[in-house]
Amino acid sequence: MSTEQRPPVSRRKLGLFGVVALIGAGLIVATGIRAREESGSKLREWTDNQAVPSVAVAFPNARALNPTIDLPGRLEAYSRAPIFARVSGYLKSWSADIGAKVKAGQVIAEIEAPDLDQQLLQARADLVSQQSSARLSEATLNRRKTLLASNFVSMQEIDERTADLANKKAAVNSGTANVERLEALAGYKKITVPFDGVVTARETDVGALINAGGGSGPAMFVVSDITKLRVYVNVPQSYVPAVRIGAKAVLTMPEYPNRTFAATVEASSQSVDVSSGTTRMQLALDNAGGELMPGAYANVRLPLERDAVPLHIPSSALIFNKDGLRVATVGPDDKVLFKTVTIARDLGKEIELASGVTPDDRIITAPPDGIADGDPVRVVGAAAKGKPTTASEKQDVKG
């Protein structure tokens, strides 16, 4: 049985095949290495990008959100007189109870003071005796002077009688002054009203022991003129320069929920209370109708006048830690820069700043945890391009 033999492969072809195979293998290896390097480079770039936080920024808003401030106030009578007794005794009668309208000079009570009455009687009797002694001394002196020409009396006796008459007249003057003093005190047994007003307090009754002076108990009566009221408001120190004398304020009262009352700022204490950090201001309020009552609470809305428009930022931008109250801003190089700020008013979602930032600062609205000065950040949103140049652009950034 014959077999067919294949022609032998030449060495040249085998060598060529090996070279091609080596080149192919090298290309495969090179392609894999390059792909791995590109993948590693992209991974490093992605990792670096993830390490730089993305932040949203906003510019401080210079729009005056609320040019007024609401503060609690207290109403007081424009004129108020606590009435105390000038003489001691017992209350004999009174004729004006709380709420009664009274007129200036009206008698509203009478005090019974028997000991004062007796002192007055004694003083008058002493005065009569002193006047009699003075008249007798004067008559004696005149008779002695008629005998002086006949040398019946000496000049020494005339001088003595003259001095005695002067002493007697001085005693009369003293007695007269004492009687007038006691009569004046006796006049205070009737309690009169110093001005037109309303009796807002009565702390006595018939038969009550009355002590002279104002340091041993409450006033017998309190009379108040409520046709005009004073409103006292404690204004925080930072707002005092913005509240001007003569400014018009609006009051609301809980008992009149649908009404407002106009008042005028007329005085300031010009001092700051160290315990509260506020300045007391006084407003005048017309109350001719007598609707409002002294001592009542009122909500006072004061207008604020400022030389510069205040800046507002989102409340979420505030950072408070051991370094104090600060905000994080983004500089021109897209790096974080912290700035210390001072709050003027907390308006809820927005904070009104007194100092610390400028309208050109890019404020990070929600600073991420762990952010520090000099950290690079990526600014996202419209504010990344720079400060808005128009009011509409600024509103777009805030939105």
Side-chain angles (χ1 to χ4, degrees), residues 242-254:
V243 180
R244 309 293 173 84
I245 301 299
K248 303 299 181 181
V250 177
L251 276 68
T252 55
M253 309 290 295

Side-chain angles (χ1 to χ4, degrees), residues 75 78 226-231 251 253 261-264 283-288 292:
L75 275 60
Y78 207 82
I226 62 172
T227 57
K228 188 177 180 180
L229 298 177
R230 303 178 194 265
V231 184
L251 276 68
M253 309 290 295
F261 301 88
T264 304
L283 291 75
L285 172 64
D286 181 62
N287 189 39
L292 305 181

Side-chain angles (χ1 to χ4, degrees), residues 13-81:
K13 290 182 177 180
L14 290 174
L16 182 60
F17 179 77
V19 171
V20 172
L22 288 174
I23 293 174
L27 290 174
I28 292 173
V29 173
T31 302
I33 293 174
R34 184 177 180 182
R36 183 174 298 176
E37 289 178 351
E38 290 180 354
S39 177
S41 177
K42 291 181 179 179
L43 179 60
R44 285 192 299 272
E45 183 180 355
W46 182 85
T47 304
D48 292 340
N49 290 337
Q50 292 300 315
V52 177
S54 298
V55 295
V57 299
F59 293 95
N61 184 6
R63 177 172 53 90
L65 296 179
N66 189 5
T68 62
I69 182 173
D70 290 351
L71 295 171
R74 187 65 61 185
L75 275 60
E76 297 292 344
Y78 207 82
S79 298
R80 178 180 179 274

Side-chain angles (χ1 to χ4, degrees), residues 216-261:
S216 58
M220 297 175 60
F221 298 89
V222 176
V223 177
S224 303
D225 180 7
I226 62 172
T227 57
K228 188 177 180 180
L229 298 177
R230 303 178 194 265
V231 184
Y232 291 103
V233 182
N234 294 324
V235 181
Q237 179 180 348
S238 58
Y239 292 101
V240 172
V243 180
R244 309 293 173 84
I245 301 299
K248 303 299 181 181
V250 177
L251 276 68
T252 55
M253 309 290 295
E255 62 267 37
Y256 299 107
N258 300 320
R259 294 181 58 184
T260 59
F261 301 88

Side-chain angles (χ1 to χ4, degrees), residues 22 38 81 148 154 183 185 212 234 252 273 316 349 365 394:
L22 288 174
E38 290 180 354
L148 183 61
S154 66
E183 287 177 344
L185 283 176
N234 294 324
T252 55
D273 183 5
S316 59
K349 292 183 179 181
T365 57
K394 184 181 289 187

